[in-house]
Amino acid sequence: MTKRALNIIVSLVVAGLFIWLAIRNVNLPEVWAQIQSVTFYWLPFFVIVMLFSHFLRAERWRLLLVNEGKEVNRSTLFAGVMLGYVVNNIVPRLGEISRPVYVAKKGNMNSSSLLGTIVTERLFDLATMILLIAIAAFFLISDVNFVEQVLGFETDEWRSYLFIPATGILLFICAWLLFRFFVYLEKNEKINHPFILKLAEFVSSFGKGMTSIRYVKNWPLFLLLTAGIWAGYVVMTYLPFFMMNLQAEFGLTLKAAVVLTMVSSIGVSIPTPAGIGSYHLLIQQSMWLLYNIPLVSALTYATVTHAVTVLLVFLTGPLALWWDKYYTLKNSINR
């Protein structure tokens, strides 16, 4: 059994466990009845916001590629982003590789370096998510003790909170030292072993891609695009409230959408195909515990929003790839 096949099997087992946890206390026929009663007049706005958020992600990625010295078509970057989402919905995390490989092939660029920019982008998003989680915990959720219980930090010992940043700093130092070591190997003329040279070249290119954030010339635009991406995610969480009239019946507002966006970000980051199960369970439990929404209604919301998002990705991903091929071919003919 290959490692990739094993990863897929493990992710499916984890997804199955989360699904079981989500449905064990609900009446499935009642969930199906609620799904059939939802309204979809919000869907066109949802599609627009989703595509615009992904376009902003492609634009922000373009700012990280300035050090590559090549201009990449926006259609190619957007197609690469959408391809990454499509692949991630099938095999968790594989989309983070297919995305830079696609763009590197189209733009005749170094795929290792582009992969490094993806890691940098994800780390920046992780830092943004942690910041937003902190804001949601201390300003939008009234019961901070509840947040501590959910995250497993139910303790009065403040030193325990230093573990995560200390670990992050230590990992950063180790990664930097490893990168410098492989750069040294790459430049050392006495080392001529093919495998070592190839590995050193990969790590060096990857590291240069990760440090691409140093070359961002327009930081206000970079931060504005980041804010736009996350604002889009919040709106994508808020709009489906209207399918079940949750905003009127339970008083869900944009503040609730911010909280649930943070929860969904954690859910989809768990390596299950398309975030199946993990997204459903975390959204269901959060809506029930924080906003007293019945488990059946919360699971209906999670099921519909997840299904709509995945379906739209599978529909728009191939269209983006087709448009990029058409646009590229058209420009090459015009030249």
Side-chain angles (χ1 to χ4, degrees):
M1 182 181 296
T2 64
K3 182 179 179 181
R4 182 171 297 176
L6 181 61
N7 288 337
I8 293 175
I9 293 174
V10 171
S11 65
L12 289 175
V13 171
V14 174
L17 174 61
F18 279 119
I19 291 174
W20 176 78
L21 291 172
I23 68 175
R24 60 176 177 166
N25 293 320
V26 300
N27 187 325
L28 290 182
E30 189 176 351
V31 173
W32 176 242
Q34 287 199 9
I35 290 176
Q36 292 178 305
S37 66
V38 301
T39 58
F40 287 95
Y41 65 89
W42 51 272
L43 189 55
F45 306 100
F46 184 92
V47 174
I48 293 173
V49 173
M50 187 194 79
L51 293 177
F52 186 64
S53 296
H54 295 338
F55 175 77
L56 293 182
R57 180 172 291 281
E59 276 293 292
R60 189 183 66 172
W61 189 22
R62 189 169 65 89
L63 296 180
L64 291 176
L65 302 181
V66 64
N67 195 42
E68 296 295 324
K70 295 184 179 181
E71 187 69 25
V72 185
N73 291 331
R74 284 183 167 87
S75 64
T76 300
L77 292 176
F78 180 71
V81 169
M82 296 308 301
L83 174 63
Y85 283 120
V86 171
V87 176
N88 272 341
N89 282 342
I90 301 173
V91 182
R93 299 295 169 264
L94 187 59
E96 313 303 342
I97 299 176
S98 60
R99 175 173 140 187
V101 168
Y102 173 81
V103 174
K105 184 177 180 180
K106 292 280 292 187
N108 193 24
M109 304 166 73
N110 189 305
S111 59
S112 301
S113 180
L114 291 191
L115 182 60
T117 64
I118 299 298
V119 174
T120 297
E121 184 190 44
R122 290 307 186 189
L123 289 175
F124 193 85
D125 278 335
L126 177 62
T128 304
M129 185 179 74
I130 292 174
L131 175 63
L132 292 176
I133 288 176
I135 294 174
F138 294 102
F139 294 99
L140 302 181
I141 301 177
S142 57
D143 189 358
V144 177
N145 291 328
F146 166 79
V147 178
E148 292 181 342
Q149 294 172 18
V150 170
L151 297 178
F153 291 134
E154 189 181 6
T155 175
D156 294 329
E157 190 63 45
W158 64 270
R159 295 179 183 84
S160 62
Y161 290 90
L162 298 177
F163 174 76
I164 294 178
T167 302
I169 294 173
L170 180 61
L171 290 175
F172 174 80
I173 294 174
C174 291
W176 175 254
L177 292 176
L178 184 64
F179 167 64
R180 297 307 306 174
F181 173 70
F182 277 104
V183 170
Y184 165 77
L185 291 181
E186 184 185 25
K187 295 180 178 180
N188 194 326
E189 297 179 355
K190 296 181 180 180
I191 298 176
N192 52 17
H193 193 283
F195 175 76
I196 295 178
L197 290 176
K198 194 69 177 177
L199 180 62
E201 180 185 358
F202 170 80
V203 174
S204 178
S205 298
F206 180 82
K208 290 175 182 176
M210 284 197 65
T211 58
S212 59
I213 200 166
R214 297 185 303 168
Y215 303 101
V216 173
K217 296 180 179 179
N218 194 338
W219 266 103
L221 178 59
F222 189 88
L223 295 176
L224 181 63
L225 291 172
T226 300
I229 292 169
W230 284 93
Y233 293 162
V234 172
V235 174
M236 288 167 61
T237 302
Y238 176 71
L239 287 175
F241 289 168
F242 292 85
M243 70 180 175
M244 301 170 63
N245 207 30
L246 297 176
Q247 82 289 348
E249 187 174 353
F250 296 97
L252 295 187
T253 62
L254 274 174
K255 290 183 178 181
V258 172
V259 174
L260 293 176
T261 299
M262 298 305 102
V263 173
S264 67
S265 298
I266 297 173
V268 298
S269 66
I270 297 175
T272 60
I276 295 175
S278 55
Y279 171 85
H280 297 75
L281 177 64
L282 292 180
I283 288 294
Q284 178 202 47
Q285 295 299 310
S286 297
M287 296 181 80
W288 175 51
L289 293 171
L290 293 174
Y291 306 109
N292 297 317
I293 297 176
L295 288 174
V296 171
S297 299
L299 184 58
T300 300
Y301 171 90
T303 302
V304 173
T305 53
H306 182 269
V308 165
T309 303
V310 172
L311 181 61
L312 288 175
V313 166
F314 278 120
L315 288 175
T316 57
L319 287 175
L321 292 170
W322 170 82
W323 172 254
D324 179 45
K325 183 177 181 180
Y326 168 78
Y327 183 80
T328 304
L329 182 61
K330 180 181 178 181
N331 281 355
S332 62
I333 293 176
N334 292 336
R335 290 175 185 174

